[in-house]
Amino acid sequence: MTYPPFDLYSEPYSSTGNIGENFRRLLGSPSLDPLQTLVREAVQNIADAAKLGSGPEILIRLRTLSPMQRATLEQIVLRHLPEEPASRGQLRDSLARQDLHVLEICDFQTTGLGGPTRSDRIPVGTKDTDFIDFLRNIGSARDTEHGGGTYGFGKVALYRESRCSTILVDTLSFGAAPEDRRLIGCHVGRSFGLPEEGMLRRFTGRHWWGKADQDDGVADPVAGRTAAAISASLGFPPRDDANTGTSIMILDFEAEDENLVLAGQRVVEALLWNFWPRMMREIPDERRFVCRVEVEGNEVHIPAPEEFPPLHLFCKAMQAARKQDGNDVRTIETQRPPRTLGTLALEKGLRSPRVPLVDEGSQIPATSNHIALMRPVELVVKYLDGSALPDERLEWAGVFLASSSDEVEQAFADSEPPAHDDWIPDNLPKGNGKTFVNVAMKKLRSAAAEMGVSGVAVTGEQQSGPPLARLAGRLGAMLEEVGGDGAGRRRPSRGGGNRKPTRAKASRPVFVCLEPSDHGRIAVFTTEVTQDGGRNGATLSASVSIAIDGTGAGRMDDNILQPTVLSISPAEEGKASDGATRPLEGKEGRFELRVLVPDDYAVTVDAEVLQEMVE
């Protein structure tokens, strides 16, 4: 079946004026790059649309339009182009590209964009205005209690990622009949004027493609089965009453170096870095984000945040903040007026190897020393930098979860800029709200800075600092003492030339690295074995214990996985011996010790050479 082309409506200024081409500037100056900002803004809006008692399904696709899809776009949707030269040229250039890339952001099991389609025609008593809030109006106030942000600003980021500043929107709202499926296009360009009856008629630069209203020509969305058929011809995902929601196509998506695979990896990283709290396994189904990313029809793997360093530490801190119970959980409060502002939870652990998603420009820090700030909706606002722990083999992560009290939550929400990527007290007028944000930020900055303060060799009054900072310092000092070839201090060798010792011995083990395994984290240490003149050293024996305050503490708790020496092997070559002993047969040199370590605990490893064989 053939369909008539969409009608084009170029929006004129009203008699009282409109927001024109400066629409693009409304987003301000986000701290993230455009693609990361786009993912943040789009998913925040999806979070606000997830009101159906189940978590949203989010699909982000990057693909190249097929010849048939391009034909539908050119001959039906964008058949008529704006008269303004710059906009017309942008759209023509995009439609002429040999490979026309699009980025789609789709959500399912959400409310969709329902309600009236015209801002000037809202029936009395109407509560659902999602369509006009998202597509027609600029900067509408959020309508979701404790929601992600100001509903509508995210669309600015959508247009900015399109070379031709054009998006297509396909939506089916919850509870709607199939005939209520909606499809509409919008382009944001320069304002312009056209002569009309001796006057210059001014236009805002916004252009709409849809079905023209018979009275005033305003383009409403194409609806019903026609919308569904054309959406399918464009490659949009199918929808029915079990898959309500919205699909947004960013036309002529500007991928870095035209590399959609790299762009897909950047999308995955942006999802993890900004939305891991809502992607955790422990999140109830009604709040959990189920995310998928596809590039040219191929699904891109999204790691579980609990298994993706350093997010695994942030997840542990998040669990502690939610339960208000953990290794270091603090309540952040004001005294005047007395209010609880939120909960700060801090966790530390051995630095785990990174699994890079992108080669350059990654948001993931090489070492974590940050506090993730978030409101009760549990979307990361920003990461507050702190000081690193004294030993580079350790890292820490924190979570600050603002209070769900309406007064406090509103203060933090109002302090955010349009991009929702900071808390700025100066955005608030003088009063309690400004005090809440000011006090919280000062206390959080102080806590983040104190984390790197070493607690080594402090006694008495000096031990009044935060307990985790003191413990982290002691753990760092302990790791320095395990040897000199790693990140710790290098101990000078003593004289003696090539003289053999009177007794075979092993040097203090040196920490080398962490290795992931199916059974947990494996710490690799090395020790140097030196034989005596008669090569009487028969067995290399290693032992390991959990370390507290720089000493071996042995067993701490039956619920904690105990450290275990898994194997000993020559560093250069040779088969490993399972267990904590290895026959030497007169050999000397460097040996590797592999130790299974419990999460977030440091260990001490000792090695000695025995004169007798050990079975």
Side-chain angles (χ1 to χ4, degrees):
M1 179 182 292
T2 59
Y3 297 95
F6 283 25
D7 299 312
L8 170 66
Y9 176 76
S10 298
E11 179 182 82
Y13 277 97
S14 69
S15 58
T16 56
N18 291 81
I19 293 178
E21 61 193 72
N22 286 333
F23 170 76
R24 279 174 163 266
R25 301 180 184 176
L26 290 175
L27 195 60
S29 300
S31 58
L32 303 176
D33 73 20
L35 181 56
Q36 293 163 356
T37 300
L38 167 67
V39 173
R40 275 179 56 98
E41 291 294 307
V43 177
Q44 283 176 349
N45 281 342
I46 291 172
D48 286 345
K51 309 171 187 175
L52 305 181
S54 62
E57 293 184 9
I58 300 166
L59 170 62
I60 300 180
R61 303 196 302 183
L62 299 104
R63 61 188 178 94
T64 305
L65 292 186
S66 70
M68 290 186 62
Q69 292 163 355
R70 289 181 66 127
T72 300
L73 182 69
E74 294 175 22
Q75 298 172 18
I76 297 178
V77 181
L78 301 182
R79 177 72 171 271
H80 304 296
L81 299 182
E83 294 188 52
E84 197 280 316
S87 292
R88 192 178 189 88
Q90 285 179 351
L91 286 160
R92 277 181 170 170
D93 288 346
S94 293
L95 294 173
R97 288 192 194 283
Q98 182 175 357
D99 293 322
L100 183 53
H101 298 151
V102 298
L103 185 150
E104 292 169 306
I105 301 170
C106 314
D107 57 75
F108 304 91
Q109 299 182 32
T110 55
T111 57
L113 300 176
T117 63
R118 297 280 298 267
S119 297
D120 58 343
R121 299 178 184 176
I122 303 176
V124 174
T126 297
K127 295 182 179 180
D128 180 3
T129 57
D130 286 341
F131 185 92
I132 59 175
D133 287 341
F134 182 75
L135 277 162
R136 305 290 200 188
N137 297 335
I138 307 297
S140 300
R142 60 180 183 163
D143 63 351
T144 300
E145 183 180 5
H146 296 179
T150 303
Y151 190 31
F153 275 108
K155 58 192 169 189
V156 183
L158 298 171
Y159 292 101
R160 196 164 63 175
E161 282 297 280
S162 166
R163 281 195 181 97
C164 57
S165 301
T166 302
I167 65 171
L168 306 181
V169 178
D170 169 38
T171 187
L172 178 64
S173 59
F174 178 72
E179 57 267 23
D180 292 320
R181 181 85 171 264
R182 294 170 172 177
L183 176 63
I184 194 168
C186 184
H187 164 79
V188 176
R190 297 178 182 176
S191 58
F192 65 103
L194 293 175
E196 185 178 284
E197 298 179 354
M199 303 291 288
L200 186 66
R201 191 181 188 196
R202 297 285 296 166
F203 294 84
T204 67
R206 289 205 297 176
H207 306 266
W208 306 89
W209 288 271
K211 184 175 182 180
D213 183 276
Q214 294 182 353
D215 295 331
D216 57 13
V218 172
D220 281 326
V222 171
R225 291 177 178 166
T226 301
I230 296 174
S231 293
S233 296
L234 290 168
F236 277 117
R239 293 196 176 274
D240 54 32
D241 55 6
N243 286 294
T244 59
T246 302
S247 300
I248 301 169
M249 179 187 289
I250 298 173
L251 188 62
D252 198 4
F253 168 68
E254 191 168 3
E256 186 175 345
D257 298 327
E258 299 293 319
N259 190 330
L260 293 187
V261 174
L262 174 60
Q265 291 295 122
R266 289 170 62 77
V267 169
V268 169
E269 184 178 274
L271 286 171
L272 282 169
W273 191 235
N274 293 287
F275 302 106
W276 58 265
R278 298 286 292 271
M279 298 168 69
M280 293 171 62
R281 296 189 186 103
E282 70 170 25
I283 288 288
D285 290 344
E286 63 268 19
R287 301 187 68 242
R288 188 165 183 257
F289 288 176
V290 178
C291 301
R292 291 189 296 130
V293 175
E294 289 182 2
V295 176
E296 301 288 23
N298 299 312
E299 190 152 340
V300 182
H301 174 64
I302 302 178
E306 294 92 340
E307 299 170 2
F308 185 75
L311 294 185
H312 71 294
L313 275 182
F314 283 101
C315 288
K316 188 170 183 180
M318 190 70 196
Q319 291 171 333
R322 287 171 178 152
K323 298 175 182 176
Q324 297 193 355
D325 180 28
N327 291 321
D328 187 354
V329 178
R330 314 175 191 180
T331 300
I332 305 298
E333 300 175 312
T334 57
Q335 300 300 318
R336 298 180 183 176
R339 296 288 191 278
T340 296
L341 303 180
T343 300
L344 171 63
L346 300 161
E347 292 290 341
K348 53 77 182 95
L350 292 171
R351 183 187 173 281
S352 297
R354 299 300 193 255
V355 181
L357 294 172
V358 297
D359 294 330
E360 296 181 2
S362 174
Q363 300 178 77
I364 309 299
T367 300
S368 175
N369 46 266
H370 303 78
I371 298 174
L373 309 182
M374 61 192 79
R375 293 190 278 114
V377 70
E378 296 185 356
L379 308 178
V380 176
V381 173
K382 69 175 291 185
Y383 288 87
L384 185 66
D385 286 352
S387 56
L389 294 172
D391 192 292
E392 65 184 24
R393 290 162 292 185
L394 299 172
E395 60 184 344
W396 64 270
V399 163
F400 174 71
L401 189 57
S403 168
S404 59
S405 158
D406 289 345
E407 181 185 20
V408 173
E409 196 276 340
Q410 190 67 52
F412 283 106
D414 291 344
S415 75
E416 294 178 5
H420 316 299
D421 58 357
D422 204 353
W423 287 337
I424 305 173
D426 288 343
N427 283 353
L428 300 170
K430 186 176 181 180
N432 287 350
K434 188 169 188 174
T435 298
F436 297 157
V437 179
N438 248 327
V439 170
M441 293 305 294
K442 286 179 181 178
K443 290 188 175 183
L444 292 170
R445 289 192 188 99
S446 176
E450 289 172 353
M451 284 297 294
V453 177
S454 175
V456 181
V458 293
T459 58
E461 296 179 358
Q462 290 179 301
Q463 294 195 15
S464 60
L468 183 57
R470 296 198 303 271
L471 176 57
R474 290 194 288 268
L475 291 176
M478 177 280 301
L479 279 176
E480 285 187 333
E481 292 171 0
V482 301
D485 292 338
R489 292 188 295 263
R490 184 179 296 275
R491 285 172 168 71
S493 60
R494 296 174 181 170
N498 294 321
R499 290 180 299 173
K500 287 288 186 180
T502 58
R503 180 182 176 87
K505 64 179 182 179
S507 66
R508 178 166 296 187
V510 174
F511 173 75
V512 177
C513 65
L514 283 174
E515 295 179 348
S517 78
D518 294 338
H519 305 291
R521 294 176 191 162
I522 295 175
V524 180
F525 292 79
T526 61
T527 181
E528 195 77 27
V529 172
T530 306
Q531 291 283 2
D532 57 19
R535 293 186 175 269
N536 294 313
T539 302
L540 175 60
S541 175
S543 61
V544 59
S545 60
I546 291 175
I548 289 293
D549 292 337
T551 63
R555 295 185 66 87
M556 292 179 58
D557 188 324
D558 288 339
N559 295 323
I560 297 174
L561 174 69
Q562 298 302 307
T564 306
V565 178
L566 297 177
S567 66
I568 303 175
S569 62
E572 300 300 327
E573 59 182 12
K575 185 177 179 181
S577 292
D578 294 337
T581 61
R582 179 186 179 88
L584 289 174
E585 299 175 344
K587 294 179 181 178
E588 60 182 4
R590 181 166 295 190
F591 288 80
E592 288 187 349
L593 316 175
R594 280 179 164 72
V595 178
L596 181 65
V597 297
D599 286 348
D600 306 325
Y601 282 89
V603 297
T604 57
V605 180
D606 293 309
E608 62 177 327
V609 176
L610 307 178
Q611 299 293 316
E612 66 276 2
M613 292 290 294
V614 175
E615 297 295 333

